Amino acid sequence: MEQSKKAIVYKYMFLVSTVSGAVGVYFLHKQLIVLGWVLVCIWVVFAVLVRILIMRDKKLIKVKSREEM
């Protein structure tokens, strides 16, 4: 996948993560415990996944730039 397409996918994954985290915290505040924890877990999983994918892509970019030299 091209770098620009990956950036769009990462952006939307981050957006879903942020919205689910905010809604999850709101639901926990309003005493909707199960739904709140499910959304908070989705938030954490997407946040960690996006971070790992971005770090992996940065390493690949560095390796490719060194090979071109």
Side-chain angles (χ1 to χ4, degrees):
M1 191 182 302
E2 290 182 21
Q3 202 65 21
S4 61
K5 289 182 182 178
K6 284 183 181 181
I8 292 170
V9 170
Y10 296 160
K11 179 177 81 170
Y12 286 115
M13 285 177 69
F14 182 75
L15 184 64
V16 167
S17 168
T18 304
V19 169
S20 68
V23 172
V25 170
Y26 176 74
F27 283 169
L28 286 173
H29 176 71
K30 291 294 183 178
Q31 303 299 321
L32 298 170
I33 302 298
V34 174
L35 185 58
W37 280 114
V38 168
L39 288 172
V40 168
C41 290
I42 291 171
W43 174 31
V44 170
V45 167
F46 269 135
V48 170
L49 183 64
V50 168
R51 184 70 62 177
I52 289 171
L53 290 173
I54 289 172
M55 288 181 354
R56 188 183 67 182
D57 281 347
K58 282 185 178 181
K59 286 181 183 178
L60 289 175
I61 291 170
K62 284 182 182 179
V63 169
K64 285 182 181 179
S65 66
R66 287 182 185 166
E67 290 175 355
E68 290 175 358
M69 290 181 164

